[in-house]
Amino acid sequence: MDSHRRTWDWDSSQCRAQMDQVFFREQDYIQAGSPDHKEFWAFFDRFQRFKTKKDMSGVAKEDRGDGTDRKKAKVDLGLPKEYDARYRINVSVCSRDIEERLGKSEHRGRQRSSGPGPQEISDCRLALLHFLDFTQRQSFGKLAKLRREQKNLPIFQYRDRIVELVRTHPVVVVAGDTGCGKSTQVPQYLLSAGFSYISCTQPRRIACISLAKRVSFESLNQYGSKVGYQIRFETSRTTSTKLLFLTEGLLLRQIQQDKTLSQYQVVIVDEVHERHLHCDFLLGVLRSLLAERQDLRLILMSATINIKLFSDYFGSAPVLQVPGRLFPIQVVYQPIPPDEQPSRSEKLDPRPYLRILQGIDQRYPPEERGDLLLFLSGMTEISTIQEACQVYATHTRRWIVLPLHSTLSIAQQDKVFDIAPPGVRKCIISTNIAETSVTIDGVRFVVDSGKVKEMSFDPKAKMQRLQEFWISRASSEQRKGRAGRTGPGVCYRLYAESDYDAFAPYPVPEIHRVALDSLILQMKSMCLGDPLSFIFIDPPPASSIQTAVTYLKEQGALDSRGELTSIGSLLAQLPVDVVIGKMLVLGSLFHLVEPVLTVAAALSVQSPFLRSTQHNPDCTTARQPLHSNQGDPFTLLNTFNAWVEVKGERGGGSRKWCRRRGLEEQRLYEMVNLRRQFKDLLRSHSLLESEGGSSAPSAGDRGQRRERLTERRRLHQMKRDHELQEGGKRKVLRLEEGGDGGLSSGSDTEDKSRGRKDKDRQNMDIQEVKFKLRHNVSQLQEAVTVSQDLSSRQQALLKLLLCRGLYPQLALPDEHNSTRKDSEQVFHTKNKQGVVIHPTSVFASDPEVLHVPEDDGGEMGSDKRDSSRHQLLAFVTLLETNKPYLSNCVRVPALQALLLVANSMDTNADCTRLVVDGWLELELRDPSEALRVLSTALKLRAEWERLLLAQLGQSGAAEPAAAEQAVSRRATEKLSEGLVRFLLYTEVSYSLRRLTALQTQNLYVGPQAESESSSSETPDLSVLFPGAQAKPDPIKGGLRVTSFFTYNCLMDSKDLYSECLRTFWSCPNCDLYMPLTPLERMHHEASCRPAGEQQESQDGAESEKASSSSSSSMSSLTRVYHCDVCNEDLKLTSTEILKHKRQHMYTAK
Amino acid sequence: MDQTTTEIPPKIFTCQLCGLSSPFVYYGQKPPNTRAIVLLEECFVTKDPFSPEKEKFLVLGSTCSLCSLCVCVASDCSLFYTKRFCMRCVNKHLDQFPHQIQAELAKKKQQSSKAAVS
């Protein structure tokens, strides 16, 4: 025995390994190498130390041991006489191995002279039993704590009542204020009451994730998927998911796919009082769905705001009101004195805010913790007050000032959750983001400016407007409530009580403030009938619906009867603005998909360029190579491409790359995800060839595939590990950490702090892991290479696609811009004059590229300048803050772009004067050139339209293989060739100006008696645009040639009869040489193609039918032709005859 | 989510003293997949929800060896000393328990009454 003792050393790893062989084998409850195993040995060390300590001090106590059984009890419990802690453990471990080593040690002892003896085995077993008991206690403690917390929530006592109400009513309203626990508990109550297939919507994605996490933990399903979430790019849903948290928008999309929402038994709509557009709409859709789904259960959850509205909307649905859990809050009204009131143009006066900081410092000792949350209306206000407070904070060293708004980097936003060191308070200066979206614990003081900036839509100017308003009483209360979450608090209101009383009771719901384009489009695609008669909870103004319908018609998403077009039904499925959706569809036609996907994604997320780094010279220099003076979408494209390249080369190193350029990498991750979603959507509509052959790993390369699989498994493990770590402890802020936060570049601040850096590294890793899991980097790189070095031709075409997508969002540079300072460049849109370019745009720093070149000008001095280089800006947003700003602009050649995309083009008789969309006037000097340009444009448009329709038509087709042939590659190549040539090589001099109000009033000739006679002489134009017939325009006068082109309707100084004037002209393609009117010439040009091309023309049947039906309109070019097959006399032109013949050839086959 | 395959609602364990309730998957002395481990009493057992490993179990409670009351393992509700005793029975027969346990319980009582005061 003694020899054993000497050779056995608990600290030796060999000895422990021997013990592992006995207790922690592959087949045991705890296996060697597992985390539990590691914990056991750590526990073992503690346990041994404890035992040694006890052995030394415990002897004395043993003496009294026997004294207890003196008193005889009625019942003998049969407990052992001597106390042993081991008797308190209800677990035992026994295996044959252990028994053998314990019992028959003497036989085996010799063989295993160096192995563990019975004493060691027994010691280890005892430790293991204690360890098991310890882990049991630990887990049970967690469970008990959880149950205790659930019980303590105000909503707990309503548990049975809620379940009962839901069982007996189709719709139930649960109203409860912050902290009552409704969001986490109600879904669980229903789950444990036996409901399954529950969905719970949230207005914010982040809430979906955090709620799913919390609820799965609380329902003891942390490691299962019973509770899941689904947001735009991420889901944790599996077949076993019974409760799903998802965004309102996503549930709407699901209804689009599955009309009756049969996948759910219960739908919970949370936060209905926030009255988001999607939420209001969702309620309307669900309301009509209830009639069809008697079994569906709907629960609305709301703060105690305007509950009656919701109950009434659902036929007096029962309301269950739950008290919140809020500590008392003292309200102090401190209206700003008149001399400190800011005037409209001035900066905010910081004095009222500083007084409150001072007041807190005087009244409350620093050891009493509690932070301050200050609500201001916008970013400018925040930086003004932040600056002033920072000076005070630096002086007193009692405050850390932190800004909070949505354009901050994620890392900077996160800082508000960190903890201030003792004796120091956080002063968080926030927009209304902290009112509902972001909840910060530990706030004791709230300062409420009473102001909010809200987005509204001005349908007249087609412009979004960000204006400052007084908040509502509901918002005011919400802000106040933020002071009482963790203890009693104080709320300082910088307005009078009488102001408060005068506030509107509730905020204006979003549906009353915003453009309804996407909403109406979605309604149409869900077949909800006339949007005007849809029963909304709070119907938007009819004019607002009408504006949206008109807009959608302009965009080609709805036809003239208001029905969804094929492009419209596709757009309805894309979760983006109509204009962006259009770009995607257009891009798919021209094999420019890769760059278009990137641009569309980039324009749909917040700009990755951080505002705070705008004036940082290092960032500006580093960004320079990314800039493109073609326009902001190209800068974004370059940025994304460069980022993907860095990602491919350096992986996680991209974080640093972004930081140096003042880029928020999160946005780039969003872009890459969105891009992927767009690609999948296009593919599922057969607008994109599925990724076959080339990109798929070759079947033979098994090794590579296995490698990739192992890699994926590793990444998944990393993601899981990260998820386990998440929600760890908050960092402690340092005093210096505030101040420079929002003012200088985020990068400097973060580099300074080591702790921060570590956190970043962790963040970076998980983002990188998720990125790698979701995307194939090499595939992405390939895609990016395609769009990296665009030739000038591809660039021109891409610009045209963007322009057509963005149309009618066009702006005209003011004619005097070249004489103005860079900062005073002015632009005009159709509906709004005098707009400026947002300082973040590339054109703000480089406006010269928009000027008409000096040497190009013809008649200088006159306000009409002739040039072939006029340009327009196509823009994504027009937003008025203190000025109306254009953002995300791209420049396009004016004449060419307008002729190719405009919805309304009106000309005079010789087509030298052109009015586009009733506001832009173009004048060309040379009539024959004018005619040539116009005619080319019309031809290109017709072909473009034809191919686009074919492409969209095929998207409905089931088989992609067949579809691919519908639009031949050659046809699109020819078209893009034609478009590019038109865009780049049209050297026509013209003037471009905006019409004055007076001019627009007297623009058209109006219906004329003469037009009757002239039309009979006009050639039939239907060949030019199949399906359309030229007829007198009833309003404008002249001839309506196509839906977008009206000929000779402009009031002109020139002779009204010039349309009938014929001039000699020879056709370059055929031998024709004869006098023709402008229209006749266009007509001939449209139908006469070079001999080689004739075979390709495919539009025979339709146009021919149209032309034969309208044969009444005689032209000098048509002649009577007798077709033997039809046995009819037809009046056709020579080319039409050819076509007609060919048609019979096809049908004969 | 297939609606036809509705699962049988889980069996629920409820402590008759504190009311804590939670679903359990096994009752007995040999929970599944616990290998060499044996429980020394018949227990209500569930999968340990706080462990990522599927096979880790958690004992929720058992029945009092004297009065057969269903109790959870929380120290306020029951005590194991070679057998399970609910707190009521422990207090009734306190004198038969070793002094270590008596001292421990007295100390706890003192603490909880102190907590109640403050």
Side-chain angles (χ1 to χ4, degrees), chain A residues 832-845:
Chain A
K832 180 86 186 166
Q833 293 174 27
V835 299
V836 296
I837 291 196
H838 198 267
T840 52
S841 170
V842 64
F843 296 119
S845 48

Side-chain angles (χ1 to χ4, degrees), chain A residues 27 36 73 75 77 92 197, chain B residues 2 35 38 56 82-83 96:
Chain A
Q27 70 268 30
D36 278 346
V75 191
L77 302 184
S92 169
Y197 317 111
Chain B
D2 190 359
R35 320 298 162 88
V38 184
K56 297 284 178 266
T82 69
K83 280 174 272 187
Q96 291 190 47

Side-chain angles (χ1 to χ4, degrees), chain A residues 122 213 366 423 598 604 618 661 709 780 848 933 944 1100:
Chain A
S122 160
K213 209 166 155 186
T598 305
S604 308
D618 293 339
R661 282 153 188 80
L709 211 69
L780 201 60
E848 289 89 27
V933 171
W944 194 357

Side-chain angles (χ1 to χ4, degrees), chain B residues 31-116:
Chain B
N33 302 316
T34 45
R35 320 298 162 88
I37 291 172
V38 184
L39 299 175
L40 300 177
E41 55 174 340
E42 307 250 294
C43 290
F44 296 93
V45 179
T46 186
K47 182 208 160 299
D48 183 352
F50 306 106
S51 165
E53 284 168 73
K54 277 199 191 80
E55 297 179 347
K56 297 284 178 266
F57 68 93
L58 175 64
V59 173
L60 296 169
S62 63
T63 47
C64 173
S65 59
L66 287 180
C67 67
S68 299
L69 200 69
C70 208
V71 281
C72 75
V73 298
S75 60
D76 287 343
C77 296
S78 74
L79 183 146
F80 187 85
Y81 191 68
T82 69
K83 280 174 272 187
R84 178 72 53 187
F85 300 97
C86 77
M87 236 33 192
R88 281 187 202 156
C89 290
V90 172
N91 286 324
K92 220 183 278 173
H93 307 285
L94 195 59
D95 52 345
Q96 291 190 47
F97 285 90
H99 68 89
Q100 281 91 343
I101 289 178
Q102 292 181 26
E104 203 181 289
L105 291 175
K107 199 172 157 194
K108 214 171 74 188
K109 215 176 213 171
Q110 209 179 358
Q111 269 174 353
S112 66
S113 64
K114 224 187 249 169

Side-chain angles (χ1 to χ4, degrees), chain A residues 21-22 24-25 53 121 171 247 276 327 412 424 476 596 633 742 746 855 871 882 905 981 1076:
Chain A
Q21 298 274 316
V22 181
F24 308 113
R25 298 161 306 176
K53 225 160 133 196
I121 292 285
V171 184
T247 54
H276 294 284
F327 293 91
Q412 282 191 349
V424 177
S476 178
V596 168
D855 53 334
Q871 293 184 92
N882 53 351
M905 300 188 325
R981 204 180 308 143
L1076 295 174

